[in-house]
Amino acid sequence: MRRLRAEILNSRKFGAFQSITLVAPEIADRARPGQFVSVAMPEDRRFILRRHFSIHQASRRGGWAGTLEFVFDPHGPGAEWLAEVKAHHFLDVIGPLGRAFAYPRAPSNCLLVSEGHGASSIFFLAQELRARGKRVDMVLGASEESHLFKPIEAKRLSQTIIVVTADGSVGARGSVMDVVPRAAQGAGTEVIYAAGPRPMLRMVAEFCMEQRIPAQVAVEEEMACGTGLCFACVVPVIRKDGSGYDNLRACTEGPVFNPARVFWDRWTSEETRAIPTPPEGFPSVVSSWPG
Amino acid sequence: MRRLRAEILNSRKFGAFQSITLVAPEIADRARPGQFVSVAMPEDRRFILRRHFSIHQASRRGGWAGTLEFVFDPHGPGAEWLAEVKAHHFLDVIGPLGRAFAYPRAPSNCLLVSEGHGASSIFFLAQELRARGKRVDMVLGASEESHLFKPIEAKRLSQTIIVVTADGSVGARGSVMDVVPRAAQGAGTEVIYAAGPRPMLRMVAEFCMEQRIPAQVAVEEEMACGTGLCFACVVPVIRKDGSGYDNLRACTEGPVFNPARVFWDRWTSEETRAIPTPPEGFPSVVSSWPG
Amino acid sequence: MAGVKQSLSVDLEGIRFASPVVAASGCAGTGRELAGLADLRRLGGLVTRTLTFKPSRGWPGPRVAETASGIVTGIGLQNAGVRTFVAEDLPRLARTGIPLVASVGGASLQAYIRAASILRGERGIAGLEVYLSGPDEENEGLPFYSRIDRMAEVVGAVSRLSTVPVFAKLPALLPDLVPAARGCIRAGAHGLTLIDAVPGMVVDVRRLRPRLGAVVGGLSGPAIRPIALAAVYRVAQALPQVPVMGVGGICTAEDAVEFLLAGAWAVQVGTALMVNPSAPTEIAQGIAQYLHAKGLASPDDLRQQMRLTGERHARGASAS
Amino acid sequence: MAGVKQSLSVDLEGIRFASPVVAASGCAGTGRELAGLADLRRLGGLVTRTLTFKPSRGWPGPRVAETASGIVTGIGLQNAGVRTFVAEDLPRLARTGIPLVASVGGASLQAYIRAASILRGERGIAGLEVYLSGPDEENEGLPFYSRIDRMAEVVGAVSRLSTVPVFAKLPALLPDLVPAARGCIRAGAHGLTLIDAVPGMVVDVRRLRPRLGAVVGGLSGPAIRPIALAAVYRVAQALPQVPVMGVGGICTAEDAVEFLLAGAWAVQVGTALMVNPSAPTEIAQGIAQYLHAKGLASPDDLRQQMRLTGERHARGASAS
Ligand SMILES: Cc1cc2nc3c(=O)[nH]c(=O)nc-3n(C[C@H](O)[C@H](O)[C@H](O)COP(=O)(O)OP(=O)(O)OC[C@H]3O[C@@H](n4cnc5c(N)ncnc54)[C@H](O)[C@@H]3O)c2cc1C
Ligand SMILES: Cc1cc2nc3c(=O)[nH]c(=O)nc-3n(C[C@H](O)[C@H](O)[C@H](O)COP(=O)(O)OP(=O)(O)OC[C@H]3O[C@@H](n4cnc5c(N)ncnc54)[C@H](O)[C@@H]3O)c2cc1C
Ligand SMILES: Cc1cc2nc3c(=O)[nH]c(=O)nc-3n(C[C@H](O)[C@H](O)[C@H](O)COP(=O)(O)O)c2cc1C
Ligand SMILES: Cc1cc2nc3c(=O)[nH]c(=O)nc-3n(C[C@H](O)[C@H](O)[C@H](O)COP(=O)(O)O)c2cc1C
Ligand code: FES
Ligand code: FES
C-alpha cells in the first residue's frame, strides 16, 4: 500500500462511464484484480472523504508500464469533480488496497459475472485468468446500454459472453441471474467470480451454494478511511467453524469475500428501527449512542 | 437592490488586483459610488457566505452601457475562486447594496483619500464629482507598488495626486496621513472622502474633526447577508443628539458614514476579554451566550 | 401519482402555514430588507428576531466568522425592544398576511413576562417562540436551558398569558433533549423549535485573538444539520403528538425533507437566507415535487414514512 | 526569533508527548494499518480505539455517512475486548515507542473496572482515556455523561485503580461543561479530552430511511471544530491548571494552533487521519513553523498568548 501524487495520463468518457489512467508505478506493480485505490477530494469542498475505485487495469510491462486505470460512473459530487479533472493534473492516490481475487490452482473453467461498474475489476481478473490458462466465460449486465461495460472488449476476453440489460436496450432483457445458470451449465463452470450490486451478489451466492460451485465476490460498502483504521466498512462474515460471525473490514479483509461465508441475511437487511438493536456485546437498553 | 445571474464580460489582472466586469444593467443603472455588490460562492464549497465588493465602475450609457466593474485582491479562498472564473460564465450577484457617498451641493474642492483596494470606490466617486463640476484631488496609498491602484488613471481623474507606499517602492514612503494635511492645504480642500483600512480611516476622521472639514468614509465590516437581515455588520454610530450611540448596519445604513459620528474608540478597539462585556441591555452576569 | 390532491399547508396547533418552510428567528430582518429580493408572501411564515423588553445593542463586532460549512455569529439579540417592534415593524410585517411568530427573550422571568405581555393580543401575531439560550440573571448568567425547571417556569409563564400557540426553542446542547422537551410541554408550550445555533468559537491565529467580539458565538449552517436532525428525530420519536419545527442547516428541499421524514411538522430556514434570499420559496417548490414523486398529499404524510419502512428491503432496491 | 531554543514536546501530568499532536481514539487502527502510509513513531502519541471488557461487534452497517464538512459514523465500539488487545495489538503498538493512551469503555461501572484492571500496570501504556458517551445500563441506557455523578463514579473508579494518568473524555452536549469537568477532576481524573463526536443523523430521502444502521451516530470533522474549540476554551478558562487535549475537526496546523491558543495542552486528530494519513506529522511541522514565526519556544507558550493580548489593538494592525 503506497500513497502518491499521481499524474493523470488521460481521462476519457465511454458510455455513462469515465475512465482515468494514472502514472503510478508503485501501485501498478503491486496491483491485482479485486483491489482498489482511494482518491483524495480537493480541500476546499464540502465533501471530505476519499473516494474508492476498483482497479481496472495495471500495466507492469510494455508501453503502458507503470500505469493504472480505474473507471467510474460520475453520479455524485465526488465522482463528478473527478470526471472534470484534466490530463496532466495530479491526484492524491492510495493503493493498492484490499485483498485481491484468488486464482484457482488447477486449470479450470471460470464464469465471471458482473453488473454495471462491477465489470471494472472483472475485466482485469479475466486477463489474469487467461494469462494463467484458465477458460473465461462472462455474463455482463447493466441497467441499460450506456451502463454496459465495454461489450466488445468483453468478447475478446472470454470464450462466451451473455449480455443482459434491465430494459432490454441491448442483449437479453432481465437480470444477470436469469442467465447465470444457463451460462454456467453451457461452459462447464467450475469457479464463479462476481462483482456488482448487493442483491445481485446475493443471488449469485445462493446459486453457487446450491450448485456447490466455489465462488468469490467483490463487495462495495461505505468507507471512511479505506485503509483499515475506522471499521466503518464492515461485512458480517460467518466464522470458519460456524460459531457465529465477525464484522470484517471490506477495505482490509475484503473487498473480495467467499460468498458462502457472508452473512447475507444480516448484510442485506435494511430494517429501519426507530431504536436500533444495540451493538453486540452491549446491553439492550440503548436510548442514544453516538460514535 | 436586485439579484441576477450576471454574465462576466471579462476578468483581468492588474498588479495584485483582479478586475471583473459584469453585464448587469438592472444594477449598473442604479449604482452610485460607495455602494457594493455581493457575489454568491459555489455550492459545493466549504465557505458559504457571499463575498462583498465595492462598485468600481457602472456605465449607464455608451458602449459599455449596463456593465458593472469591481476590483479585488485575491487573498482568501472566496476571492481566489472568483479570480479563476472565466469570461462568459455567470455569477449570482446582488446589488447595488448600501448607501452611496453624498455629493456636496455647492461647487467645492474635494480631497479623495484611499489605501489599497479602498481606491476602487473612490475612483468611481472622482468621476461623478467631476461630472458635477467639483475639483478633485487625490491621495493614493498602498503597502507597495503592486497594491497601488491605477496611478495613471488617478492622475487623469484628479487635479493633483500624491502617491504614498509603506515601503516607498513608489511615491513617498509612509502612510497617507503623512501627506493628507499638506494635500488638503495645497488644494484648499472643503470636503474629504476616504476609503481604506480602519486605522487609516480613523486618522483621517480625527484630522477632519480638528480641521472641521466635512467628510465621509466608506467602511468594511465582516458581513453575513449584506442585505440587512442579520445585524452582523454593525458600526457604532453616535446619535445626532449625542445621547449615546446605536449599532448601525454597514450594509444598510452604511458602508458610507460621517466619520464625525462613528464611535471610533469602540469600533477600533479589539480588547480580547476572556469573558466579554455582555450585550447592552443585558445583565453583567453572562457566563455563556451563543447566537 | 395523479389524482392525489396535494397541498403544502400545515397546521401547528392552530397556526396555519401555507407552506412548511418558515424564516428562522434573527435571519429575516424586519420585513423591509427582503423586499425586492424575495416575496415575503411566499414564505410559509416568519419568526421575528428575538424581541426583548428593553432594547439591546447586542455584542460588539466582529459579529460573524466563517467556518467549514457554517458561520459562527455573535449578535447578542440586537433589537429596539418589543414596544418599538410593535409600533414600527409589526404593521409592515402584518401586511404580508403570512403567519408571524414573535420570538421573545429576556434575562429574567420578569423580562419574559413583560415582553410577552406587550405582544399579548396583538393582531397579526399568530404565535410565540420562546428563546431559551440567553443568560439567566437568576442563575449565575447560565443559559435558561441549563435547568429544566427554569425553562419550564419561563415557558409556563409565557404560555399562561399568551392568547396564541407558544413554541419553546431548544438547543442541541443537552445530554438528553426528551426530558427538556417534556418539561416545556407540561409547562404549557404547544410545540417545540429544534435547534438553536450551537455554541462555537473561531480563533484568529494571525492576530492571536477570538474572531468574535462575543468570543463564543453560535454555529449555524450546513455544518450543524446532522445535529439538528438527530435532535428532531429523538424528540419526535418520544413525543409524536407534539408539533416540532426543525431548524439547522437547511438549504435545499432535500435537506427539508430529511427533517420532515425525521418527524418535523415544519422547517425553519436561517443561514441559507443570508446566501440565497429565495431559498424558502425554492425549498417549498422542491418539497411539492418530492411529495408528487412519492404520491403523497401533504407534508404531514412524510412524518409517517420512516416508521412505515419497518419491513426488510433488499439493498439497492429503491423505495419509490 | 533566532536564539529561542524550540521544542515541540509537551508534558501532560507525566505523559510526555514528543509533539502535541496525538491520534484520536478509534481513528488510528491497531498500528498495523498506518504502516507504509505514515510513520507511527512520528506521532506525538496514540489513543487506542475504545476497549471494552467484553468483545463488541459494534453496529450493523452502514456505519458512515458523509455530510457538509463532516462525517457521521456509527461504529459502536467494535473491538475484540481488552484482553485480546493486550495480547495482540499492544506489543506491536508498544514497539513504536510513542506514548499509548488506552481508551476504556463499558456499559456499567463493573465493566469499566474490569477493563481498567486488565490494563493496570501493562508496560507500554502511558495513560488511560475514559470514554463516557456509551449507554449506562444502570441509568436507562442514557449516556454516562448525562449525569455528572455517574461520570464521577466511573472516572473515580478507573483513576483509583490506574497506575498511569487518567483523562476523562467529555462530549460537547452539556449545557455547561465546567461542572462536569470539575466533577471528573475532583473524582480523580488527571486531565480531560474535549470533545467526543456530536450526536448526528443523516436521512436517505430516496430510500426514506436513516443512512446509518445505528440511526443516530457521531458527527466529526471540520464541521464540529468551532464547537470543540468553544468547549476547550470554556473549560480552560475555568480550570487553567488542568491538562486538556483538544479534539474536533483538526486538519491543519492552523486548526491545531487555534486549540492551543484557546487553552489546549495537546490536540488529537481523528477524521483527518481518514483523509490524510500523514496529517499529524504535517500538523506538528506547521506548529513548529508557527512557534518559530512568533518567537515562541514551546506549544505551552501558546496557551498564554490569547490572554496576553488584553491591551487595545488598532484594527488591521497585524499582531506579529
Ligand atoms: C471497494 C470499492 C470499489 C469501488 N469501485 C468502484 C468503481 O470501480 N467504479 C465506480 O463507479 N464506483 C466504485 N465504487 C463506488 C464509488 O466509491 C462511489 O460511487 C463513489 O465514491 C461515489 O462518490 P460520489 O461523491 O460521486 O457519490 P456520493 O453518493 O455523493 O458519495 C457519498 C458518499 O457515499 C459513498 N458511496 C457512494 N456510493 C458508494 C458505493 N457504491 N459503495 C461505497 N461507498 C459509496 C462515497 O464514497 C461517499 O463517501 C467503489 C466503492 C468501493 C467501496
Ligand atoms: C462593503 C464591502 C466592500 C468591499 N469591497 C472590496 C473591494 O472592492 N475589493 C476588495 O478586494 N475587497 C473588498 N471588500 C473585502 C472583501 O469582501 C473581502 O476581502 C473578501 O470577502 C475576502 O473573501 P475571501 O474568501 O477571499 O477571504 P477570507 O479572508 O477567507 O474571507 C473570510 C470571511 O471574512 C470576510 N472578510 C474578509 N476580509 C474582509 C474585509 N476586509 N471586510 C469584510 N469582510 C471580510 C469574508 O467576506 C468572508 O466572510 C469589501 C468588503 C465589504 C464589507
Ligand atoms: C445571524 C443570526 C441571528 C440569529 N438570531 C437569532 C435570534 O435572535 N433568536 C433565535 O432564537 N435564534 C437566532 N438565530 C438562530 C437561528 O434562528 C437558527 O436557530 C440557527 O441559525 C440554525 O438554523 P440555520 O442553520 O438554518 O441558520 C440566529 C442565527 C443567525 C445565523
Ligand atoms: C470512525 C470513528 C471512530 C471513533 N471511535 C471512537 C472511539 O472508539 N472512542 C472514542 O472515544 N472516540 C471515538 N471517536 C471520536 C474521535 O475520537 C473524536 O473525538 C471525534 O471524531 C472528533 O475528532 P475529529 O473531528 O478529529 O474526528 C471516533 C471517531 C470516528 C470518526
Ligand atoms: S473504511 Fe475504514 S476500516 Fe474500512
Ligand atoms: S451583513 Fe447582515 S445586516 Fe449587514
Side-chain angles (χ1 to χ4, degrees):
Chain A
M1 167 163 72
R2 291 277 173 280
R3 179 182 183 197
L4 42 116
R5 285 185 70 251
E7 184 181 359
I8 298 180
L9 204 59
N10 71 61
S11 175
R12 63 183 199 289
K13 245 176 131 345
F14 65 85
F17 298 104
Q18 188 78 19
S19 154
I20 290 183
T21 304
L22 298 171
V23 184
E26 301 88 333
I27 300 176
D29 293 353
R30 292 175 182 72
R32 288 166 52 218
Q35 292 185 297
F36 61 99
V37 293
S38 83
V39 180
M41 296 290 108
E43 276 168 8
D44 62 351
R45 296 309 200 280
R46 282 189 188 192
F47 43 95
I48 63 175
L49 290 176
R50 304 177 72 92
R51 299 310 199 237
H52 306 94
F53 303 100
S54 306
I55 296 168
H56 176 54
Q57 271 290 353
S59 313
R60 284 177 208 66
R61 53 200 83 71
W64 295 94
T67 66
L68 184 95
E69 182 184 4
F70 62 92
V71 177
F72 59 98
D73 181 1
H75 69 292
E80 279 165 9
W81 168 80
L82 199 53
E84 294 303 314
V85 185
K86 301 269 165 288
H88 308 306
H89 285 69
F90 287 77
L91 296 176
D92 168 352
V93 184
I94 297 178
L97 293 162
R99 296 226 177 120
F101 289 107
Y103 308 123
R105 254 178 245 77
S108 28
N109 304 337
C110 307
L111 178 64
L112 278 52
V113 182
S114 64
E115 194 177 310
H117 68 246
S120 178
S121 54
I122 288 295
F123 278 44
F124 188 12
L125 174 65
Q127 282 185 332
E128 296 294 318
L129 287 171
R130 295 189 52 141
R132 285 163 178 73
K134 320 289 177 193
R135 168 180 168 141
V136 169
D137 300 276
M138 272 203 201
V139 172
L140 195 62
S143 52
E144 37 67 53
E145 184 159 17
S146 76
H147 282 84
L148 189 69
F149 203 99
K150 304 185 186 169
I152 295 88
E153 191 172 329
K155 285 200 177 60
R156 200 174 47 69
L157 285 167
S158 52
Q159 216 86 1
T160 72
I161 169 166
I162 305 179
V163 169
V164 279
T165 52
D167 67 352
S169 51
V170 48
R173 178 202 209 85
S175 86
V176 295
M177 266 320 288
D178 305 340
V179 299
V180 163
R182 172 156 53 89
Q185 198 178 32
T189 296
E190 296 158 292
V191 184
I192 291 184
Y193 297 91
R198 244 173 250 212
M200 173 274 225
L201 291 182
R202 181 176 189 162
M203 287 186 286
V204 172
E206 278 156 2
F207 171 77
C208 294
M209 288 184 265
E210 273 160 33
Q211 305 292 318
R212 297 221 165 54
I213 303 176
Q216 295 186 6
V217 298
V219 306
E220 291 181 11
E221 176 59 87
E222 270 75 354
M223 293 183 173
C225 68
T227 53
L229 301 175
C230 71
F231 285 78
C233 60
V234 297
V235 176
V237 175
I238 293 151
R239 299 199 182 108
K240 277 223 176 59
D241 63 12
S243 68
Y245 72 96
D246 298 303
N247 284 325
L248 302 185
R249 295 165 297 182
C251 71
T252 310
E253 287 85 29
V256 174
F257 289 106
N258 172 354
R261 289 188 37 216
V262 170
F263 188 170
W264 294 99
D265 274 345
R266 190 171 176 83
W267 194 49
T268 57
S269 105
E270 282 217 337
E271 226 174 4
T272 307
R273 285 144 307 213
I275 290 144
T277 51
E280 283 119 304
F282 279 85
S284 52
V285 281
V286 177
S287 52
S288 75
W289 188 343
Chain B
M1 172 164 66
R2 291 279 174 279
R3 179 183 183 199
L4 43 118
R5 285 186 69 250
E7 185 181 358
I8 298 181
L9 203 59
N10 72 60
S11 175
R12 62 181 199 291
K13 248 176 131 340
F14 66 85
F17 298 105
Q18 188 78 21
S19 154
I20 290 182
T21 304
L22 298 170
V23 182
E26 301 87 333
I27 300 176
D29 292 352
R30 292 177 182 71
R32 288 165 52 219
Q35 292 186 298
F36 61 98
V37 294
S38 83
V39 180
M41 297 291 107
E43 276 168 10
D44 61 351
R45 295 309 199 280
R46 283 190 186 192
F47 42 96
I48 63 175
L49 289 176
R50 305 177 73 91
R51 300 312 199 234
H52 305 95
F53 303 101
S54 306
I55 296 168
H56 176 55
Q57 270 291 353
S59 314
R60 284 178 206 67
R61 53 200 84 71
W64 295 95
T67 66
L68 184 94
E69 181 184 5
F70 61 93
V71 177
F72 59 98
D73 180 3
H75 69 290
E80 278 164 11
W81 168 79
L82 198 53
E84 293 303 312
V85 185
K86 301 266 161 293
H88 308 306
H89 286 69
F90 287 77
L91 296 176
D92 167 352
V93 183
I94 298 179
L97 293 162
R99 295 226 177 120
F101 289 107
Y103 309 122
R105 255 177 245 78
S108 27
N109 302 338
C110 307
L111 179 63
L112 277 53
V113 182
S114 64
E115 193 178 313
H117 68 246
S120 178
S121 53
I122 288 294
F123 278 44
F124 187 13
L125 175 65
Q127 281 184 334
E128 297 294 318
L129 287 171
R130 294 187 53 138
R132 285 164 179 73
K134 322 288 178 194
R135 168 180 168 142
V136 170
D137 300 274
M138 271 203 202
V139 172
L140 195 62
S143 52
E144 36 69 53
E145 183 159 15
S146 75
H147 282 83
L148 188 69
F149 203 98
K150 302 184 185 167
I152 294 88
E153 191 172 328
K155 286 200 178 60
R156 200 174 49 67
L157 286 167
S158 53
Q159 216 87 357
T160 71
I161 170 168
I162 305 179
V163 169
V164 280
T165 52
D167 67 353
S169 51
V170 50
R173 178 200 208 85
S175 85
V176 295
M177 264 322 286
D178 306 340
V179 299
V180 163
R182 173 156 53 90
Q185 199 177 30
T189 295
E190 295 159 293
V191 184
I192 291 184
Y193 296 90
R198 243 172 252 212
M200 173 274 225
L201 291 183
R202 180 175 191 163
M203 287 185 285
V204 171
E206 278 156 1
F207 171 78
C208 295
M209 287 183 267
E210 278 155 34
Q211 304 294 317
R212 295 219 167 54
I213 302 175
Q216 295 186 11
V217 299
V219 306
E220 292 181 10
E221 176 58 87
E222 269 76 354
M223 294 184 171
C225 68
T227 53
L229 300 175
C230 73
F231 285 76
C233 60
V234 297
V235 175
V237 175
I238 294 152
R239 300 196 181 111
K240 276 221 177 60
D241 61 13
S243 68
Y245 72 97
D246 297 303
N247 284 325
L248 302 185
R249 294 165 298 181
C251 71
T252 309
E253 286 85 29
V256 173
F257 289 105
N258 172 352
R261 288 188 39 215
V262 171
F263 188 169
W264 293 100
D265 274 343
R266 192 170 174 84
W267 195 48
T268 57
S269 107
E270 281 216 338
E271 230 176 358
T272 306
R273 287 143 305 212
I275 288 141
T277 51
E280 281 120 303
F282 279 86
S284 52
V285 281
V286 177
S287 52
S288 75
W289 187 341
Chain C
M1 309 275 148
V4 186
K5 217 169 126 306
Q6 199 198 62
S7 154
L8 277 186
S9 78
V10 292
D11 184 313
L12 280 72
E13 291 284 316
I15 311 182
R16 189 167 188 77
F17 297 118
S19 112
V21 189
V22 174
S25 181
C27 302
T30 64
R32 214 190 271 97
E33 299 78 8
L34 275 174
L37 287 180
D39 183 352
L40 282 171
R41 284 163 305 175
R42 299 181 62 184
L43 287 172
L46 182 148
V47 186
T48 68
R49 60 194 312 96
T50 295
L51 306 164
T52 52
F53 178 69
K54 282 187 277 168
S56 164
R57 282 207 199 88
W59 290 115
R63 287 183 171 182
V64 60
E66 217 179 18
T67 160
S69 296
I71 59 177
V72 182
T73 50
I75 309 292
L77 303 191
Q78 174 167 354
N79 78 108
V82 63
R83 274 206 197 77
T84 315
F85 167 81
V86 169
E88 293 174 11
D89 297 344
L90 182 53
R92 187 185 326 100
L93 285 167
R95 253 178 267 116
T96 61
I98 60 170
L100 298 178
V101 176
S103 170
V104 290
S108 67
L109 184 56
Q110 263 314 310
Y112 275 97
I113 292 173
R114 287 217 184 94
S117 318
I118 289 168
L119 293 164
R120 186 167 203 280
E122 273 301 334
R123 288 190 51 263
I125 291 188
L128 298 183
E129 188 175 85
V130 185
Y131 173 79
L132 294 165
S133 303
D136 179 354
E137 252 178 355
E138 289 138 19
N139 180 27
E140 299 157 12
L142 290 173
F144 281 89
Y145 62 64
S146 58
R147 273 175 47 190
I148 294 182
D149 58 337
R150 281 300 282 174
M151 279 195 268
E153 269 183 83
V154 167
V155 170
V158 172
S159 306
R160 277 189 296 281
L161 60 81
S162 170
T163 56
V164 292
V166 173
F167 286 74
K169 186 169 186 178
L170 297 178
L173 287 197
L174 295 172
D176 186 6
L177 270 166
V178 174
R182 266 209 198 84
C184 292
I185 297 302
R186 289 221 185 90
H190 304 80
L192 303 164
T193 301
L194 294 164
I195 62 173
D196 202 341
V198 182
M201 178 178 185
V202 187
V203 171
D204 183 334
V205 302
R206 238 189 73 257
R207 301 222 193 101
L208 299 112
R209 67 169 74 98
R211 275 203 190 274
L212 298 185
V215 182
V216 172
L219 175 63
S220 66
I224 67 167
R225 191 188 312 129
I227 302 173
L229 200 57
V232 166
Y233 175 76
R234 281 175 177 172
V235 171
Q237 287 291 321
L239 308 169
Q241 304 316 325
V242 175
V244 170
M245 289 196 264
V247 52
I250 297 170
C251 303
T252 67
E254 184 171 328
D255 300 340
V257 169
E258 282 193 71
F259 278 81
L260 297 171
L261 287 168
W265 297 42
V267 297
Q268 297 181 1
V269 175
T271 302
L273 272 168
M274 320 269 144
V275 177
N276 173 10
S278 50
T281 326
E282 294 167 13
I283 292 169
Q285 286 162 350
I287 293 173
Q289 285 159 12
Y290 182 87
L291 289 173
H292 181 76
K294 297 282 182 215
L296 301 171
S298 137
D300 292 322
D301 299 338
L302 288 170
R303 235 170 20 250
Q304 307 310 321
Q305 294 301 309
M306 270 209 322
R307 269 199 228 95
L308 289 178
T309 61
E311 77 286 5
R312 287 163 182 281
H313 280 271
R315 188 78 193 288
S318 117
S320 57
Chain D
M1 311 270 149
V4 186
K5 216 169 128 306
Q6 201 198 64
S7 154
L8 276 185
S9 78
V10 292
D11 184 314
L12 281 73
E13 291 283 317
I15 311 182
R16 189 166 189 75
F17 297 117
S19 113
V21 188
V22 174
S25 182
C27 301
T30 63
R32 213 190 272 97
E33 300 78 6
L34 275 174
L37 288 179
D39 183 351
L40 282 171
R41 285 162 305 176
R42 298 181 63 184
L43 287 173
L46 182 149
V47 186
T48 69
R49 60 194 311 96
T50 295
L51 305 164
T52 51
F53 178 69
K54 279 186 280 171
S56 165
R57 281 207 201 88
W59 290 115
R63 286 181 172 184
V64 60
E66 219 180 19
T67 160
S69 296
I71 60 177
V72 182
T73 51
I75 310 291
L77 303 191
Q78 174 168 352
N79 78 108
V82 64
R83 275 208 196 76
T84 315
F85 166 81
V86 169
E88 293 174 11
D89 298 343
L90 183 53
R92 187 183 328 99
L93 286 167
R95 254 177 266 116
T96 61
I98 60 170
L100 299 178
V101 175
S103 170
V104 290
S108 67
L109 184 56
Q110 262 316 308
Y112 276 97
I113 292 173
R114 286 218 184 95
S117 317
I118 290 169
L119 292 165
R120 187 166 202 281
E122 273 301 334
R123 288 190 50 266
I125 290 186
L128 297 184
E129 187 176 87
V130 185
Y131 172 80
L132 294 164
S133 303
D136 179 355
E137 252 178 352
E138 289 137 22
N139 181 25
E140 298 158 11
L142 290 172
F144 281 91
Y145 62 64
S146 58
R147 271 175 47 191
I148 294 183
D149 58 337
R150 279 301 280 174
M151 279 196 266
E153 271 182 81
V154 167
V155 170
V158 171
S159 306
R160 276 189 297 281
L161 60 81
S162 172
T163 55
V164 291
V166 173
F167 285 75
K169 185 169 188 178
L170 297 178
L173 286 198
L174 295 171
D176 185 7
L177 272 166
V178 175
R182 266 210 196 85
C184 292
I185 297 302
R186 289 222 183 90
H190 304 79
L192 303 164
T193 301
L194 295 163
I195 63 174
D196 202 343
V198 182
M201 178 178 185
V202 186
V203 171
D204 183 334
V205 302
R206 239 189 74 254
R207 301 223 191 101
L208 297 109
R209 67 169 74 98
R211 276 202 190 274
L212 297 185
V215 181
V216 172
L219 175 63
S220 65
I224 67 168
R225 191 187 311 129
I227 301 174
L229 200 57
V232 166
Y233 176 76
R234 281 176 176 172
V235 170
Q237 286 290 320
L239 308 169
Q241 303 317 326
V242 174
V244 170
M245 290 196 263
V247 51
I250 297 170
C251 303
T252 67
E254 182 172 330
D255 301 340
V257 168
E258 282 194 70
F259 279 80
L260 297 171
L261 287 168
W265 297 42
V267 298
Q268 297 182 0
V269 175
T271 302
L273 272 168
M274 321 270 143
V275 178
N276 173 11
S278 50
T281 325
E282 294 166 14
I283 291 169
Q285 286 161 351
I287 293 173
Q289 286 158 13
Y290 183 86
L291 289 173
H292 181 76
K294 297 280 182 216
L296 301 171
S298 137
D300 291 322
D301 300 338
L302 287 170
R303 237 173 13 253
Q304 307 310 323
Q305 293 302 310
M306 262 202 336
R307 269 196 230 97
L308 290 178
T309 61
E311 78 284 5
R312 287 163 183 281
H313 278 271
R315 187 78 194 290
S318 116
S320 57

